[in-house]
Amino acid sequence: STCQTCDGPAASDCLTCVSPLVFDSSATMLSSFNNTVGPCICTPSTNFWNGSSCVPCYGTCLTCSGSLNNECLTCRSPQTLTSGSCLCPSNFFENSTLGCTLCDATCATCSIAATNCTSCVIPMTLTNNQCSCPAGQLFFPGVPCSICHPSCTTCSGPSLT
């Protein structure tokens, strides 16, 4: 039990908590004996009670019910919760610190590193995990695969200036 002292049979009937747990003051109520009771939780909330100690959640979880990657209750932004797992959006990859890192602007999806593309923004093509424009076109931030102005032999943007 997580309660050191209690005022009823439920896990949320705690008056005081077993160390290192703390009283969750955000979830309190009055018991039938007019005492303030509530559940005991680990702190910080990125830990969970395994029955004998507070254990860290899996790195992508903000809160959890266990230490596995599919036992998340809530996720760190920008991840979304799917079947208990926290997943990065498609244009992000899960980095070594178990957070989401934005892929390079040329990648639609990536893995391992921001520039290790697994698919490309249209109309770019994927070759050896790198995205490139069709022949005769260049990539400019915000303007994928543009043709240089006809009067230029080289360019750093699609306009004449």
Side-chain angles (χ1 to χ4, degrees):
S1 173
T2 58
C3 302
Q4 185 170 349
T5 59
C6 56
D7 199 13
S12 59
D13 290 335
C14 300
L15 294 167
T16 60
C17 302
V18 172
S19 181
L21 299 175
V22 295
F23 192 68
D24 184 0
S25 57
S26 68
T28 60
M29 61 184 134
L30 285 177
S31 72
S32 56
F33 301 108
N34 232 12
N35 293 316
T36 301
V37 295
C40 294
I41 58 170
C42 292
T43 185
S45 62
T46 54
N47 291 329
F48 76 98
W49 181 251
N50 70 359
S52 61
S53 63
C54 289
V55 178
C57 294
Y58 185 76
T60 58
C61 304
L62 185 59
T63 60
C64 64
S65 60
S67 62
L68 300 178
N69 68 347
N70 64 350
E71 295 178 313
C72 301
L73 299 173
T74 59
C75 304
R76 300 174 191 282
S77 180
Q79 296 167 329
T80 55
L81 187 64
T82 305
S83 301
S85 295
C86 293
L87 304 176
C88 295
S90 62
N91 60 332
F92 287 76
F93 73 98
E94 190 175 312
N95 65 26
S96 61
T97 58
L98 301 172
C100 292
T101 299
L102 185 63
C103 295
D104 182 78
T106 62
C107 305
T109 59
C110 64
S111 66
I112 305 168
T115 55
N116 189 56
C117 303
T118 53
S119 67
C120 303
V121 294
I122 295 172
M124 301 183 98
T125 55
L126 184 67
T127 306
N128 298 324
N129 297 98
Q130 299 295 309
C131 294
S132 57
C133 292
Q137 296 183 19
L138 297 172
F139 177 82
F140 304 106
V143 188
C145 300
S146 295
I147 299 171
C148 292
H149 190 275
S151 64
C152 299
T153 54
T154 62
C155 62
S156 59
S159 65
L160 182 58
T161 56

